[in-house]
Amino acid sequence: GAGVSQSPRYKVAKRGQDVALRCDPISGHVSLFWYQQALGQGPEFLTYFQNEAQLDKSGLPSDRFFAERPEGSVSTLKIQRTQQEDSAVYLCASSFTSWGISSYNEQFFGPGTRLTVL
Amino acid sequence: GQQVMQIPQYQHVQEGEDFTTYCNSSTTLSNIQWYKQRPGGHPVFLIQLVKSGEVKKQKRLTFQFGEAKKNSSLHITATQTTDVGTYFCAHAWDTGNQFYFGTGTSLTVIP
């Protein structure tokens, strides 16, 4: 596809349910980020992948959050035992090059998945 | 998180007026990026600045990185209704892979 896609676009979960959010980055993009955006706030960093390697997961709010990118393309963010405070838009972004000093580049964002936990 | 602060938080302007948002950090930044997010949309990259004192222009938009690399600004000349949205600055520290977004400035343009 031409851009980053995410599915589902909307997800309603009952508290305690597990959810899986999918991100299809732009083909060939090395870097992949996940962000959490609460209403009226800026995106907050969750985790970063360089190809299949998860180089940074410092932003994951708890051990209920887990992300993977096993083949260096599609990524999945899984949230176990969802809580109401997990309600937010989850954004995925990809970037052509690896991330690091002197190589910060444009991030292309997907449309996001709006998660509502009841 | 290690946020950069943006001011103002909200701005309402008459169409045709100018608009400026400021991004401030207490520590030196290695780079700054600006994104625009339309209501209900996702962030869209506008520009990246890396050099001290750098100024870049895109049509009616002017971006500036401070001499001390602790602040940045986005100025829009003669706003249009298509400029409506939230403008975020964002940066990454040299030592990590995290990417931090500012608090954002929400722009409303009154026709």
Side-chain angles (χ1 to χ4, degrees), chain A residues 39-73:
Chain A
L39 191 64
Q41 303 294 317
E44 291 219 8
F45 171 86
L46 294 178
T47 187
Y48 165 68
F49 288 88
Q50 181 177 307
N51 295 309
E52 70 280 1
Q54 188 176 21
L55 298 187
D56 196 313
K57 54 181 181 179
S58 62
L60 296 176
S62 77
D63 58 7
R64 296 186 295 105
F65 287 70
F66 172 76
E68 60 183 5
R69 192 186 185 198
E71 297 179 357
S73 54

PDB file of all heavy atoms in Angstrom, chain A residues 39-73:
ATOM      1  N   LEU A  39      -6.938  11.428  24.681  1.00  0.00           N
ATOM      2  CA  LEU A  39      -7.718  12.537  24.145  1.00  0.00           C
ATOM      3  C   LEU A  39      -7.128  13.874  24.581  1.00  0.00           C
ATOM      4  O   LEU A  39      -6.876  14.104  25.766  1.00  0.00           O
ATOM      5  CB  LEU A  39      -9.172  12.417  24.625  1.00  0.00           C
ATOM      6  CG  LEU A  39     -10.173  13.339  23.953  1.00  0.00           C
ATOM      7  CD1 LEU A  39     -10.292  13.018  22.476  1.00  0.00           C
ATOM      8  CD2 LEU A  39     -11.544  13.218  24.622  1.00  0.00           C
ATOM      9  N   GLY A  40      -6.852  14.736  23.614  1.00  0.00           N
ATOM     10  CA  GLY A  40      -6.338  16.063  23.914  1.00  0.00           C
ATOM     11  C   GLY A  40      -4.867  16.127  24.274  1.00  0.00           C
ATOM     12  O   GLY A  40      -4.364  17.179  24.672  1.00  0.00           O
ATOM     13  N   GLN A  41      -4.173  15.002  24.122  1.00  0.00           N
ATOM     14  CA  GLN A  41      -2.753  14.957  24.456  1.00  0.00           C
ATOM     15  C   GLN A  41      -1.918  14.656  23.211  1.00  0.00           C
ATOM     16  O   GLN A  41      -2.448  14.245  22.183  1.00  0.00           O
ATOM     17  CB  GLN A  41      -2.488  13.857  25.495  1.00  0.00           C
ATOM     18  CG  GLN A  41      -3.300  13.994  26.772  1.00  0.00           C
ATOM     19  CD  GLN A  41      -2.920  15.226  27.561  1.00  0.00           C
ATOM     20  OE1 GLN A  41      -1.752  15.554  27.710  1.00  0.00           O
ATOM     21  NE2 GLN A  41      -3.923  15.941  28.049  1.00  0.00           N
ATOM     22  N   GLY A  42      -0.626  14.832  23.355  1.00  0.00           N
ATOM     23  CA  GLY A  42       0.262  14.453  22.278  1.00  0.00           C
ATOM     24  C   GLY A  42       0.558  12.963  22.334  1.00  0.00           C
ATOM     25  O   GLY A  42       0.366  12.319  23.372  1.00  0.00           O
ATOM     26  N   PRO A  43       1.013  12.396  21.224  1.00  0.00           N
ATOM     27  CA  PRO A  43       1.373  10.975  21.230  1.00  0.00           C
ATOM     28  C   PRO A  43       2.480  10.707  22.248  1.00  0.00           C
ATOM     29  O   PRO A  43       3.430  11.486  22.355  1.00  0.00           O
ATOM     30  CB  PRO A  43       1.860  10.730  19.805  1.00  0.00           C
ATOM     31  CG  PRO A  43       1.244  11.820  18.987  1.00  0.00           C
ATOM     32  CD  PRO A  43       1.183  12.999  19.891  1.00  0.00           C
ATOM     33  N   GLU A  44       2.365   9.592  22.961  1.00  0.00           N
ATOM     34  CA  GLU A  44       3.393   9.187  23.913  1.00  0.00           C
ATOM     35  C   GLU A  44       4.064   7.917  23.411  1.00  0.00           C
ATOM     36  O   GLU A  44       3.389   6.931  23.097  1.00  0.00           O
ATOM     37  CB  GLU A  44       2.778   8.958  25.300  1.00  0.00           C
ATOM     38  CG  GLU A  44       2.319  10.238  25.949  1.00  0.00           C
ATOM     39  CD  GLU A  44       2.602  10.270  27.448  1.00  0.00           C
ATOM     40  OE1 GLU A  44       3.279   9.364  27.964  1.00  0.00           O
ATOM     41  OE2 GLU A  44       2.109  11.194  28.105  1.00  0.00           O
ATOM     42  N   PHE A  45       5.369   7.960  23.371  1.00  0.00           N
ATOM     43  CA  PHE A  45       6.178   6.839  22.875  1.00  0.00           C
ATOM     44  C   PHE A  45       5.932   5.584  23.705  1.00  0.00           C
ATOM     45  O   PHE A  45       5.913   5.619  24.941  1.00  0.00           O
ATOM     46  CB  PHE A  45       7.655   7.233  22.951  1.00  0.00           C
ATOM     47  CG  PHE A  45       8.613   6.112  22.688  1.00  0.00           C
ATOM     48  CD1 PHE A  45       8.999   5.793  21.398  1.00  0.00           C
ATOM     49  CD2 PHE A  45       9.140   5.366  23.734  1.00  0.00           C
ATOM     50  CE1 PHE A  45       9.901   4.766  21.156  1.00  0.00           C
ATOM     51  CE2 PHE A  45      10.031   4.339  23.497  1.00  0.00           C
ATOM     52  CZ  PHE A  45      10.417   4.042  22.204  1.00  0.00           C
ATOM     53  N   LEU A  46       5.746   4.475  23.009  1.00  0.00           N
ATOM     54  CA  LEU A  46       5.624   3.182  23.679  1.00  0.00           C
ATOM     55  C   LEU A  46       6.844   2.310  23.421  1.00  0.00           C
ATOM     56  O   LEU A  46       7.488   1.837  24.344  1.00  0.00           O
ATOM     57  CB  LEU A  46       4.362   2.448  23.210  1.00  0.00           C
ATOM     58  CG  LEU A  46       3.016   3.063  23.575  1.00  0.00           C
ATOM     59  CD1 LEU A  46       1.876   2.246  22.986  1.00  0.00           C
ATOM     60  CD2 LEU A  46       2.865   3.176  25.080  1.00  0.00           C
ATOM     61  N   THR A  47       7.136   2.084  22.131  1.00  0.00           N
ATOM     62  CA  THR A  47       8.206   1.160  21.807  1.00  0.00           C
ATOM     63  C   THR A  47       8.725   1.408  20.406  1.00  0.00           C
ATOM     64  O   THR A  47       8.044   2.032  19.584  1.00  0.00           O
ATOM     65  CB  THR A  47       7.736  -0.298  21.963  1.00  0.00           C
ATOM     66  OG1 THR A  47       8.830  -1.209  21.809  1.00  0.00           O
ATOM     67  CG2 THR A  47       6.650  -0.651  20.943  1.00  0.00           C
ATOM     68  N   TYR A  48       9.954   0.918  20.152  1.00  0.00           N
ATOM     69  CA  TYR A  48      10.617   1.133  18.865  1.00  0.00           C
ATOM     70  C   TYR A  48      11.238  -0.173  18.357  1.00  0.00           C
ATOM     71  O   TYR A  48      11.901  -0.898  19.115  1.00  0.00           O
ATOM     72  CB  TYR A  48      11.713   2.192  19.016  1.00  0.00           C
ATOM     73  CG  TYR A  48      12.683   2.231  17.857  1.00  0.00           C
ATOM     74  CD1 TYR A  48      12.272   2.653  16.593  1.00  0.00           C
ATOM     75  CD2 TYR A  48      14.017   1.831  18.021  1.00  0.00           C
ATOM     76  CE1 TYR A  48      13.152   2.671  15.531  1.00  0.00           C
ATOM     77  CE2 TYR A  48      14.904   1.859  16.955  1.00  0.00           C
ATOM     78  CZ  TYR A  48      14.471   2.279  15.710  1.00  0.00           C
ATOM     79  OH  TYR A  48      15.343   2.293  14.646  1.00  0.00           O
ATOM     80  N   PHE A  49      11.041  -0.436  17.085  1.00  0.00           N
ATOM     81  CA  PHE A  49      11.658  -1.579  16.412  1.00  0.00           C
ATOM     82  C   PHE A  49      12.580  -1.100  15.300  1.00  0.00           C
ATOM     83  O   PHE A  49      12.245  -0.174  14.552  1.00  0.00           O
ATOM     84  CB  PHE A  49      10.590  -2.476  15.769  1.00  0.00           C
ATOM     85  CG  PHE A  49       9.771  -3.264  16.738  1.00  0.00           C
ATOM     86  CD1 PHE A  49       8.608  -2.726  17.290  1.00  0.00           C
ATOM     87  CD2 PHE A  49      10.134  -4.551  17.107  1.00  0.00           C
ATOM     88  CE1 PHE A  49       7.841  -3.441  18.184  1.00  0.00           C
ATOM     89  CE2 PHE A  49       9.371  -5.284  17.992  1.00  0.00           C
ATOM     90  CZ  PHE A  49       8.221  -4.730  18.538  1.00  0.00           C
ATOM     91  N   GLN A  50      13.720  -1.747  15.197  1.00  0.00           N
ATOM     92  CA  GLN A  50      14.562  -1.590  14.025  1.00  0.00           C
ATOM     93  C   GLN A  50      14.545  -2.954  13.334  1.00  0.00           C
ATOM     94  O   GLN A  50      15.125  -3.927  13.847  1.00  0.00           O
ATOM     95  CB  GLN A  50      15.982  -1.195  14.412  1.00  0.00           C
ATOM     96  CG  GLN A  50      16.903  -1.002  13.231  1.00  0.00           C
ATOM     97  CD  GLN A  50      18.286  -0.540  13.673  1.00  0.00           C
ATOM     98  OE1 GLN A  50      18.433   0.431  14.391  1.00  0.00           O
ATOM     99  NE2 GLN A  50      19.314  -1.262  13.237  1.00  0.00           N
ATOM    100  N   ASN A  51      13.890  -3.006  12.209  1.00  0.00           N
ATOM    101  CA  ASN A  51      13.586  -4.303  11.571  1.00  0.00           C
ATOM    102  C   ASN A  51      12.848  -5.191  12.581  1.00  0.00           C
ATOM    103  O   ASN A  51      11.858  -4.756  13.142  1.00  0.00           O
ATOM    104  CB  ASN A  51      14.862  -4.950  11.047  1.00  0.00           C
ATOM    105  CG  ASN A  51      15.481  -4.138   9.928  1.00  0.00           C
ATOM    106  OD1 ASN A  51      14.799  -3.767   8.960  1.00  0.00           O
ATOM    107  ND2 ASN A  51      16.771  -3.825  10.045  1.00  0.00           N
ATOM    108  N   GLU A  52      13.342  -6.374  12.876  1.00  0.00           N
ATOM    109  CA  GLU A  52      12.615  -7.254  13.799  1.00  0.00           C
ATOM    110  C   GLU A  52      13.047  -7.064  15.250  1.00  0.00           C
ATOM    111  O   GLU A  52      12.447  -7.638  16.160  1.00  0.00           O
ATOM    112  CB  GLU A  52      12.796  -8.715  13.383  1.00  0.00           C
ATOM    113  CG  GLU A  52      14.188  -9.282  13.596  1.00  0.00           C
ATOM    114  CD  GLU A  52      15.152  -8.894  12.504  1.00  0.00           C
ATOM    115  OE1 GLU A  52      14.762  -8.150  11.567  1.00  0.00           O
ATOM    116  OE2 GLU A  52      16.324  -9.339  12.573  1.00  0.00           O
ATOM    117  N   ALA A  53      14.079  -6.272  15.462  1.00  0.00           N
ATOM    118  CA  ALA A  53      14.615  -6.106  16.814  1.00  0.00           C
ATOM    119  C   ALA A  53      13.889  -4.985  17.564  1.00  0.00           C
ATOM    120  O   ALA A  53      13.809  -3.849  17.085  1.00  0.00           O
ATOM    121  CB  ALA A  53      16.102  -5.799  16.739  1.00  0.00           C
ATOM    122  N   GLN A  54      13.414  -5.329  18.737  1.00  0.00           N
ATOM    123  CA  GLN A  54      12.777  -4.327  19.587  1.00  0.00           C
ATOM    124  C   GLN A  54      13.872  -3.657  20.411  1.00  0.00           C
ATOM    125  O   GLN A  54      14.332  -4.208  21.416  1.00  0.00           O
ATOM    126  CB  GLN A  54      11.726  -4.972  20.491  1.00  0.00           C
ATOM    127  CG  GLN A  54      10.884  -3.960  21.264  1.00  0.00           C
ATOM    128  CD  GLN A  54       9.778  -4.630  22.077  1.00  0.00           C
ATOM    129  OE1 GLN A  54       9.841  -5.821  22.399  1.00  0.00           O
ATOM    130  NE2 GLN A  54       8.738  -3.877  22.427  1.00  0.00           N
ATOM    131  N   LEU A  55      14.305  -2.496  19.966  1.00  0.00           N
ATOM    132  CA  LEU A  55      15.447  -1.838  20.601  1.00  0.00           C
ATOM    133  C   LEU A  55      15.074  -1.011  21.818  1.00  0.00           C
ATOM    134  O   LEU A  55      15.947  -0.692  22.631  1.00  0.00           O
ATOM    135  CB  LEU A  55      16.186  -0.954  19.597  1.00  0.00           C
ATOM    136  CG  LEU A  55      16.800  -1.665  18.398  1.00  0.00           C
ATOM    137  CD1 LEU A  55      17.641  -0.700  17.584  1.00  0.00           C
ATOM    138  CD2 LEU A  55      17.611  -2.873  18.812  1.00  0.00           C
ATOM    139  N   ASP A  56      13.817  -0.668  21.938  1.00  0.00           N
ATOM    140  CA  ASP A  56      13.415   0.163  23.073  1.00  0.00           C
ATOM    141  C   ASP A  56      11.956  -0.124  23.388  1.00  0.00           C
ATOM    142  O   ASP A  56      11.116  -0.007  22.514  1.00  0.00           O
ATOM    143  CB  ASP A  56      13.610   1.646  22.750  1.00  0.00           C
ATOM    144  CG  ASP A  56      13.583   2.531  23.983  1.00  0.00           C
ATOM    145  OD1 ASP A  56      12.675   2.371  24.825  1.00  0.00           O
ATOM    146  OD2 ASP A  56      14.453   3.409  24.101  1.00  0.00           O
ATOM    147  N   LYS A  57      11.709  -0.517  24.616  1.00  0.00           N
ATOM    148  CA  LYS A  57      10.325  -0.732  25.052  1.00  0.00           C
ATOM    149  C   LYS A  57      10.074   0.008  26.355  1.00  0.00           C
ATOM    150  O   LYS A  57       9.194  -0.355  27.135  1.00  0.00           O
ATOM    151  CB  LYS A  57       9.997  -2.204  25.179  1.00  0.00           C
ATOM    152  CG  LYS A  57      10.932  -3.009  26.068  1.00  0.00           C
ATOM    153  CD  LYS A  57      10.501  -4.479  26.076  1.00  0.00           C
ATOM    154  CE  LYS A  57      11.406  -5.290  26.970  1.00  0.00           C
ATOM    155  NZ  LYS A  57      10.991  -6.731  27.017  1.00  0.00           N
ATOM    156  N   SER A  58      10.847   1.047  26.567  1.00  0.00           N
ATOM    157  CA  SER A  58      10.779   1.774  27.830  1.00  0.00           C
ATOM    158  C   SER A  58       9.461   2.499  28.050  1.00  0.00           C
ATOM    159  O   SER A  58       9.123   2.830  29.182  1.00  0.00           O
ATOM    160  CB  SER A  58      11.944   2.768  27.912  1.00  0.00           C
ATOM    161  OG  SER A  58      11.840   3.714  26.866  1.00  0.00           O
ATOM    162  N   GLY A  59       8.719   2.761  26.980  1.00  0.00           N
ATOM    163  CA  GLY A  59       7.475   3.491  27.130  1.00  0.00           C
ATOM    164  C   GLY A  59       6.256   2.621  27.387  1.00  0.00           C
ATOM    165  O   GLY A  59       5.174   3.143  27.674  1.00  0.00           O
ATOM    166  N   LEU A  60       6.416   1.316  27.325  1.00  0.00           N
ATOM    167  CA  LEU A  60       5.277   0.431  27.589  1.00  0.00           C
ATOM    168  C   LEU A  60       4.854   0.615  29.044  1.00  0.00           C
ATOM    169  O   LEU A  60       5.683   0.466  29.946  1.00  0.00           O
ATOM    170  CB  LEU A  60       5.645  -1.017  27.308  1.00  0.00           C
ATOM    171  CG  LEU A  60       5.982  -1.354  25.857  1.00  0.00           C
ATOM    172  CD1 LEU A  60       6.417  -2.802  25.713  1.00  0.00           C
ATOM    173  CD2 LEU A  60       4.795  -1.058  24.945  1.00  0.00           C
ATOM    174  N   PRO A  61       3.587   0.939  29.296  1.00  0.00           N
ATOM    175  CA  PRO A  61       3.176   1.328  30.641  1.00  0.00           C
ATOM    176  C   PRO A  61       3.164   0.207  31.670  1.00  0.00           C
ATOM    177  O   PRO A  61       3.245   0.482  32.862  1.00  0.00           O
ATOM    178  CB  PRO A  61       1.766   1.902  30.438  1.00  0.00           C
ATOM    179  CG  PRO A  61       1.309   1.420  29.121  1.00  0.00           C
ATOM    180  CD  PRO A  61       2.503   1.122  28.309  1.00  0.00           C
ATOM    181  N   SER A  62       3.033  -1.025  31.238  1.00  0.00           N
ATOM    182  CA  SER A  62       3.041  -2.127  32.189  1.00  0.00           C
ATOM    183  C   SER A  62       3.374  -3.411  31.455  1.00  0.00           C
ATOM    184  O   SER A  62       3.475  -3.434  30.223  1.00  0.00           O
ATOM    185  CB  SER A  62       1.668  -2.248  32.866  1.00  0.00           C
ATOM    186  OG  SER A  62       0.730  -2.854  31.990  1.00  0.00           O
ATOM    187  N   ASP A  63       3.541  -4.474  32.225  1.00  0.00           N
ATOM    188  CA  ASP A  63       3.864  -5.766  31.593  1.00  0.00           C
ATOM    189  C   ASP A  63       2.650  -6.385  30.918  1.00  0.00           C
ATOM    190  O   ASP A  63       2.742  -7.486  30.366  1.00  0.00           O
ATOM    191  CB  ASP A  63       4.482  -6.731  32.608  1.00  0.00           C
ATOM    192  CG  ASP A  63       3.570  -6.994  33.795  1.00  0.00           C
ATOM    193  OD1 ASP A  63       2.411  -6.545  33.774  1.00  0.00           O
ATOM    194  OD2 ASP A  63       4.026  -7.640  34.751  1.00  0.00           O
ATOM    195  N   ARG A  64       1.530  -5.680  30.941  1.00  0.00           N
ATOM    196  CA  ARG A  64       0.362  -6.156  30.186  1.00  0.00           C
ATOM    197  C   ARG A  64       0.497  -5.804  28.699  1.00  0.00           C
ATOM    198  O   ARG A  64      -0.255  -6.325  27.877  1.00  0.00           O
ATOM    199  CB  ARG A  64      -0.921  -5.523  30.740  1.00  0.00           C
ATOM    200  CG  ARG A  64      -1.245  -5.919  32.169  1.00  0.00           C
ATOM    201  CD  ARG A  64      -2.599  -5.379  32.595  1.00  0.00           C
ATOM    202  NE  ARG A  64      -2.629  -3.903  32.635  1.00  0.00           N
ATOM    203  CZ  ARG A  64      -3.219  -3.145  31.724  1.00  0.00           C
ATOM    204  NH1 ARG A  64      -3.829  -3.695  30.682  1.00  0.00           N
ATOM    205  NH2 ARG A  64      -3.208  -1.839  31.844  1.00  0.00           N
ATOM    206  N   PHE A  65       1.430  -4.915  28.392  1.00  0.00           N
ATOM    207  CA  PHE A  65       1.637  -4.474  27.013  1.00  0.00           C
ATOM    208  C   PHE A  65       2.814  -5.241  26.415  1.00  0.00           C
ATOM    209  O   PHE A  65       3.891  -5.328  27.019  1.00  0.00           O
ATOM    210  CB  PHE A  65       1.934  -2.979  26.969  1.00  0.00           C
ATOM    211  CG  PHE A  65       0.734  -2.101  27.231  1.00  0.00           C
ATOM    212  CD1 PHE A  65       0.171  -2.024  28.488  1.00  0.00           C
ATOM    213  CD2 PHE A  65       0.180  -1.350  26.213  1.00  0.00           C
ATOM    214  CE1 PHE A  65      -0.933  -1.220  28.730  1.00  0.00           C
ATOM    215  CE2 PHE A  65      -0.914  -0.534  26.443  1.00  0.00           C
ATOM    216  CZ  PHE A  65      -1.477  -0.470  27.705  1.00  0.00           C
ATOM    217  N   PHE A  66       2.603  -5.724  25.210  1.00  0.00           N
ATOM    218  CA  PHE A  66       3.629  -6.512  24.538  1.00  0.00           C
ATOM    219  C   PHE A  66       3.581  -6.201  23.043  1.00  0.00           C
ATOM    220  O   PHE A  66       2.504  -6.126  22.458  1.00  0.00           O
ATOM    221  CB  PHE A  66       3.370  -8.000  24.779  1.00  0.00           C
ATOM    222  CG  PHE A  66       4.234  -8.921  23.994  1.00  0.00           C
ATOM    223  CD1 PHE A  66       5.556  -9.130  24.360  1.00  0.00           C
ATOM    224  CD2 PHE A  66       3.734  -9.591  22.879  1.00  0.00           C
ATOM    225  CE1 PHE A  66       6.362  -9.981  23.617  1.00  0.00           C
ATOM    226  CE2 PHE A  66       4.537 -10.440  22.140  1.00  0.00           C
ATOM    227  CZ  PHE A  66       5.851 -10.634  22.513  1.00  0.00           C
ATOM    228  N   ALA A  67       4.731  -5.993  22.434  1.00  0.00           N
ATOM    229  CA  ALA A  67       4.755  -5.711  21.003  1.00  0.00           C
ATOM    230  C   ALA A  67       5.753  -6.629  20.314  1.00  0.00           C
ATOM    231  O   ALA A  67       6.751  -7.037  20.912  1.00  0.00           O
ATOM    232  CB  ALA A  67       5.133  -4.251  20.744  1.00  0.00           C
ATOM    233  N   GLU A  68       5.465  -6.949  19.073  1.00  0.00           N
ATOM    234  CA  GLU A  68       6.374  -7.785  18.298  1.00  0.00           C
ATOM    235  C   GLU A  68       6.353  -7.388  16.836  1.00  0.00           C
ATOM    236  O   GLU A  68       5.385  -6.805  16.351  1.00  0.00           O
ATOM    237  CB  GLU A  68       6.004  -9.268  18.455  1.00  0.00           C
ATOM    238  CG  GLU A  68       4.609  -9.612  17.986  1.00  0.00           C
ATOM    239  CD  GLU A  68       4.257 -11.079  18.214  1.00  0.00           C
ATOM    240  OE1 GLU A  68       5.063 -11.804  18.824  1.00  0.00           O
ATOM    241  OE2 GLU A  68       3.169 -11.483  17.765  1.00  0.00           O
ATOM    242  N   ARG A  69       7.435  -7.742  16.165  1.00  0.00           N
ATOM    243  CA  ARG A  69       7.575  -7.483  14.726  1.00  0.00           C
ATOM    244  C   ARG A  69       8.465  -8.606  14.178  1.00  0.00           C
ATOM    245  O   ARG A  69       9.601  -8.377  13.787  1.00  0.00           O
ATOM    246  CB  ARG A  69       8.209  -6.111  14.491  1.00  0.00           C
ATOM    247  CG  ARG A  69       8.141  -5.617  13.060  1.00  0.00           C
ATOM    248  CD  ARG A  69       8.917  -4.316  12.891  1.00  0.00           C
ATOM    249  NE  ARG A  69       8.745  -3.776  11.552  1.00  0.00           N
ATOM    250  CZ  ARG A  69       9.560  -2.863  11.018  1.00  0.00           C
ATOM    251  NH1 ARG A  69      10.584  -2.372  11.714  1.00  0.00           N
ATOM    252  NH2 ARG A  69       9.335  -2.417   9.801  1.00  0.00           N
ATOM    253  N   PRO A  70       7.959  -9.817  14.176  1.00  0.00           N
ATOM    254  CA  PRO A  70       8.790 -11.017  13.986  1.00  0.00           C
ATOM    255  C   PRO A  70       9.553 -11.099  12.674  1.00  0.00           C
ATOM    256  O   PRO A  70      10.645 -11.662  12.638  1.00  0.00           O
ATOM    257  CB  PRO A  70       7.784 -12.169  14.120  1.00  0.00           C
ATOM    258  CG  PRO A  70       6.456 -11.554  13.900  1.00  0.00           C
ATOM    259  CD  PRO A  70       6.544 -10.147  14.374  1.00  0.00           C
ATOM    260  N   GLU A  71       9.009 -10.533  11.605  1.00  0.00           N
ATOM    261  CA  GLU A  71       9.685 -10.626  10.315  1.00  0.00           C
ATOM    262  C   GLU A  71      10.149  -9.267   9.812  1.00  0.00           C
ATOM    263  O   GLU A  71      10.494  -9.125   8.639  1.00  0.00           O
ATOM    264  CB  GLU A  71       8.769 -11.307   9.294  1.00  0.00           C
ATOM    265  CG  GLU A  71       8.432 -12.741   9.683  1.00  0.00           C
ATOM    266  CD  GLU A  71       7.505 -13.418   8.688  1.00  0.00           C
ATOM    267  OE1 GLU A  71       7.085 -12.746   7.721  1.00  0.00           O
ATOM    268  OE2 GLU A  71       7.184 -14.598   8.888  1.00  0.00           O
ATOM    269  N   GLY A  72      10.131  -8.302  10.710  1.00  0.00           N
ATOM    270  CA  GLY A  72      10.630  -6.987  10.339  1.00  0.00           C
ATOM    271  C   GLY A  72       9.697  -6.170   9.473  1.00  0.00           C
ATOM    272  O   GLY A  72      10.106  -5.153   8.908  1.00  0.00           O
ATOM    273  N   SER A  73       8.440  -6.617   9.374  1.00  0.00           N
ATOM    274  CA  SER A  73       7.483  -5.802   8.619  1.00  0.00           C
ATOM    275  C   SER A  73       6.269  -5.526   9.497  1.00  0.00           C
ATOM    276  O   SER A  73       6.292  -4.584  10.286  1.00  0.00           O
ATOM    277  CB  SER A  73       7.097  -6.482   7.313  1.00  0.00           C
ATOM    278  OG  SER A  73       6.630  -7.809   7.561  1.00  0.00           O
TER     279      SER A  73
END
